[in-house]
């Protein structure tokens, strides 16, 4: 995954990313981050989308 655009760190003090860096684009603007900011866990969102 190294070098992927979603893991370009632009904020050394940003949220920790699963890739081990901090402030990755993905950590801040990725799907999980967006869902988290919406107050939902990703798994819950998937379950809701499936019509649990
Ligand atoms: Zn990352």
């Amino acid at each position: 995954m190294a070098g992927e655009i979603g893991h370009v760190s632009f904020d050394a003090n940003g949220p920790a990313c699963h890739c081990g860096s901090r402030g990755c684009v993905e950590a801040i603007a990725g799907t999980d981050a967006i869902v988290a900011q919406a107050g939902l866990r990703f798994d819950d969102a998937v379950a809701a989308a499936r019509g649990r």
Side-chain angles (χ1 to χ4, degrees):
M1 299 287 277
E4 198 170 313
I5 187 67
H7 294 285
V8 174
S9 179
F10 65 90
D11 182 358
N13 295 314
C17 179
H18 61 80
C19 76
S21 295
R22 300 188 74 89
C24 290
V25 173
E26 182 168 304
I28 294 175
T31 303
D32 286 356
I34 292 170
V35 171
Q37 287 178 11
L40 296 171
R41 290 192 59 241
F42 181 72
D43 289 348
D44 291 338
V46 171
R50 287 177 176 165
R52 169 175 61 173

